[in-house]
Amino acid sequence: MQIDANPFPYHFDIAHTALVLIDMQRDFIEPGGFGETLGNNVALLEAIVPATQAVLAAWRQAAGLVVHTREAHAPDLSDCPPAKRNRGNPTLRIGDVGPMGRILVKGEPGSQIIDALAPVAGELVIDKPGKGMFYATGLHETLQQRGITHLLFGGVTTEVCVQTSMREANDRGYDGLLLEDCTESYFPHFKAAAIEMIRAQGAIVGWTAPSPALLAALHSG
Ligand code: TIU
C-alpha cells in the first residue's frame, strides 16, 4: 500500500504497521489536567479529534494494530524523576490532586483516553513515564514480536511526546509517518516546525501526510 506523503510516497503493509495515538488523554485535552497546569490553552487540541476518530475507525476496519499511549506515573511516583516533578512553577505538580484527580497518575480520570478515542479489546494501551513511547515501556519488544516495522502517528503534543516517540522509533529502525491533521500542539508554530523538521533532508526522521491520504490508500486497498 502507498500513501501520497511528504517528502515522497510512503509504502506500508497493514500486517506490519501499527497506528500509534500518543497521549490522547484528558490530562492534555480537557481543562483541569496537566496541560493546563503548565499554563497552556488546551482548547486548541480538541480540533484534531474528528480526523483522528475517522482514521481510527478506518484502521480498525482494516484490522490494523492500534497502540494507545498515556503519559502516566505510578501512584507512588517511583517512576517520576524529581527533576520532572519539580521543574518550573506549575499551579499543580505531577501527583497533586486536580479537578480530574491526581495529575498525570495512572488510573486517575485525567489519565483516561478521551471517550471519542477510547481503546477497544485487542488494542495495546501503554502507560509511559517519559515523553517517548519506548522509554521504560517494553513496547519495542512487543512490536517486534508482532512483526511491526511501520508506525503511523497521531496524538499530542506534536513537538513533545509525538516527536520524541517518532525519533525513538526512527533510531530503532521503524519507518514512521505523522498524520498532520491528527496531531496538535499548544503552539501552532511548533507543530509546523516539527512537521518540517521530521520530513526534511529526505525524511531524516520520517514522513508526514494529511489523514485523507491514508484513508484514500485504505479505500483503494
Ligand atoms: N507539555 C507538552 O506539550 N506535552 C507533554 O508534556 N506531554 C505530551 O506531549 N504528551
Side-chain angles (χ1 to χ4, degrees):
M1 218 166 256
Q2 176 178 314
I3 298 179
D4 187 9
N6 288 301
F8 40 74
Y10 176 85
H11 297 271
F12 71 103
D13 173 358
I14 293 173
H16 300 289
T17 305
L19 172 67
V20 180
L21 298 181
I22 300 284
D23 301 357
M24 291 298 288
Q25 67 202 65
R26 300 179 66 198
D27 265 319
F28 293 106
I29 296 169
E30 295 182 11
F34 184 63
E36 194 173 72
T37 73
L38 295 175
N40 299 303
N41 172 9
V42 298
L44 203 55
L45 272 52
E46 270 194 324
I48 66 166
V49 172
T52 309
Q53 257 184 320
V55 164
L56 182 58
W59 195 250
R60 284 172 173 162
Q61 182 75 28
L65 178 65
V66 180
V67 180
H68 303 262
T69 71
R70 302 182 290 213
E71 185 174 349
H73 293 278
D76 66 0
L77 303 186
S78 56
D79 59 0
C80 181
K84 181 177 182 183
R85 179 171 151 81
N86 295 334
R87 194 166 307 162
N89 192 25
T91 52
L92 293 169
R93 294 186 187 277
I94 295 168
D96 289 349
V97 178
M100 293 190 297
R102 295 180 66 204
I103 300 288
L104 236 59
V105 169
K106 284 181 202 177
E108 297 289 329
S111 76
Q112 288 168 7
I113 308 281
I114 59 169
D115 286 346
L117 302 171
V120 299
E123 298 179 348
L124 301 180
V125 181
I126 304 292
D127 285 316
K128 61 182 183 55
K131 303 306 183 196
M133 68 182 189
F134 291 107
Y135 172 65
T137 61
L139 180 59
H140 184 42
E141 292 69 22
T142 304
L143 294 178
Q144 281 182 310
Q145 281 161 13
R146 291 174 180 247
I148 298 296
T149 55
H150 288 58
L151 300 171
L152 306 174
F153 286 91
V156 297
T157 61
T158 315
E159 80 285 6
V160 183
C161 291
V162 177
Q163 181 168 220
T164 302
S165 295
M166 277 194 81
R167 289 176 182 274
E168 284 187 339
N170 192 41
D171 283 351
R172 284 164 178 77
Y174 297 90
D175 278 329
L177 179 142
L178 176 59
L179 296 163
E180 297 162 9
D181 51 334
C182 299
T183 185
E184 194 48 85
S185 168
Y186 301 119
F187 308 91
H189 59 296
F190 286 174
K191 171 180 172 174
I195 286 172
E196 268 190 64
M197 65 179 81
I198 284 164
R199 66 193 189 197
Q201 303 178 72
I204 194 77
V205 175
W207 288 251
T208 79
S211 65
L214 167 63
L215 298 180
L218 293 174
H219 287 144
S220 66

